[in-house]
Amino acid sequence: MNEYYLAIDIGASSGRHILARVKDGKIILEQEVYRFDNRQVRRDGHDCWDMDNLWNGIVNGLKACKTAGKIPATVGIDTWAVDYVLLDENDRVLGDAVAYRDSRTEGIDALVEAEISPEELYDKTGIQKQIFNTIYQLVAQKKEHPEQLEQAKSLLMLPDYFNFLLTGVKKQEYTNATSTNLVNAREKTWDLGLIARLGLPTELFGELSMPGTVVGDLSRSIQEEVGFNATVVLPATHDTGSAFLAVPAKDDNAVYLSSGTWSLLGVENAEPITSEASRAQNFTNEGGAWYRYRYLKNIMGLWMIQSIRRELNGVNYVEGKTARTSSGKQWSFPDLILAAEGAQDFPSVVDVDDASFLAPDSMIQAVKDYCARTGQPGPETVGEIMQCVYVSLTRRYAEAIDDLQKLTGKTYTSINVVGGGCQDGYLNQMTANATGLPVYAGPIEGTAIGNLLVQMIRAGEFTDLQSARDSVRDSFDIQEVQPM
């Protein structure tokens, strides 16, 4: 067929447009045709997404496809989960798109638990408790701005909203919806009884659409602006859902690790596991394409390393401003890895999932403070800080795999890492060493590839997910790392 397919993959720090096609059964990533920054802004006391900037990035990337002379037949958008917008009767956004790291949900779990116990909530939804889940965001919004919920006629997760702007069609996509903590894990639809108990308007929650569903063609105004028409198709709009689809595992005994700002470590199951033991270990059952459940642990991930690098380089994450450090040195990720390798004897370990690392003013100080609170030597050099984070992160991976084996009753024999973090050879080696399992690293563009696979399967390029995954293994370089 040799048609072009476009993945618009938007992460916490940047978005990119990646074009691909299929030739002789192999997936060819044509190019990253466009990249744009994602940033947060401070509005009315909250950290919010700059939605105008994101929308401009989406449109400019489509224009770049036209300029490159490579017009996609279909387009799919994925983003992170849990964040949303409310629209009024005229489809105007009510309030701001508050970011999940904002502090507005502090203490809101007590209000939710007054209506539904943690045990019952987990039994119904199978989603791990995280204070930024949409369930807590909506109750926080109800507390602060009840008038916005009263005026709302639509609730759209962020990729659903961008699809609406492109096509004029509103759809609520299943994989992202499950992250809200408001979808019944077994019935695979909104739990309207639960939603009503929380005093949220049930009319905001409609039919859920599966990945592969056509949203619609670009609206006439968008066609005129970008210079072509294309069909918008739902991928797994939750970026982790897309990333897991791209894992080229050879057997059912592999652990999947989507390595980016967050580390999402787990397996795929045919049915959700909502036992009390699973809740106690805080594993989650996120809905995936074709109703495959991602049973995983959400670990803090590369956020700590990214934050340390920004801090060393004088970057204010929220405002997007950059200033030189006093030394003038700008640290690259290879610089940080090299520094860590030079401090391999540093002994201190932190709990990477501790709340103090979620959104600190200084990640470096947060690491030092944690060590002080726990009676451990505090890191003094960049290398010691980085080694502490690397050791702590990989030990958490090992603990999560041990918990996973106990909960599923299975023994896992390898780890497949996809996403940007798979490029970190030091992290891969330390992961293999900590877990005692071989690590298969790649593909790097896991999320975008998973997005593209749904479009390609819908178009008939592949017969099913397994044939698409086989092509991923044949199309991309997968690095093998053995424990030492």
Side-chain angles (χ1 to χ4, degrees), residues 296-314:
L296 56 82
K297 173 78 75 171
N298 197 339
I299 300 169
M300 192 69 75
L302 303 186
W303 164 251
M304 296 182 72
I305 295 173
Q306 294 163 349
S307 297
I308 289 167
R309 177 174 176 262
R310 280 192 294 265
E311 189 173 340
L312 290 171
N313 291 343

Side-chain angles (χ1 to χ4, degrees), residues 257-293:
L257 174 57
S258 175
S259 181
T261 300
W262 291 93
S263 290
L264 296 311
L265 185 150
V267 295
E268 286 184 324
N269 290 333
E271 298 293 336
I273 300 175
T274 60
S275 65
E276 179 58 20
S278 179
R279 185 190 74 84
Q281 293 296 336
N282 214 27
F283 271 78
T284 200
N285 298 266
E286 295 175 350
W290 300 284
Y291 296 121
R292 306 163 70 90
Y293 292 89

Side-chain angles (χ1 to χ4, degrees), residues 1 28 36 41 45 58 80 150 155 162 184 209 270 280 301 328 338-339 378 429 446 448 473:
M1 295 182 183
I28 300 172
F36 57 96
V41 293
I58 291 170
W80 63 96
E150 291 170 2
L155 178 147
F162 293 132
N184 189 288
S209 298
L338 188 63
Q429 186 64 66
R473 191 162 52 247

Side-chain angles (χ1 to χ4, degrees), residues 190-224:
W190 299 111
D191 193 316
L192 296 180
L194 166 62
I195 291 166
R197 285 166 63 180
L198 294 172
L200 302 174
T202 56
E203 60 269 20
L204 299 180
F205 303 88
E207 179 183 359
L208 295 179
S209 298
M210 285 296 294
T213 300
V214 170
V215 181
D217 286 350
L218 298 179
S219 68
R220 185 172 298 276
S221 62
I222 297 297
Q223 290 182 43
E224 292 174 352

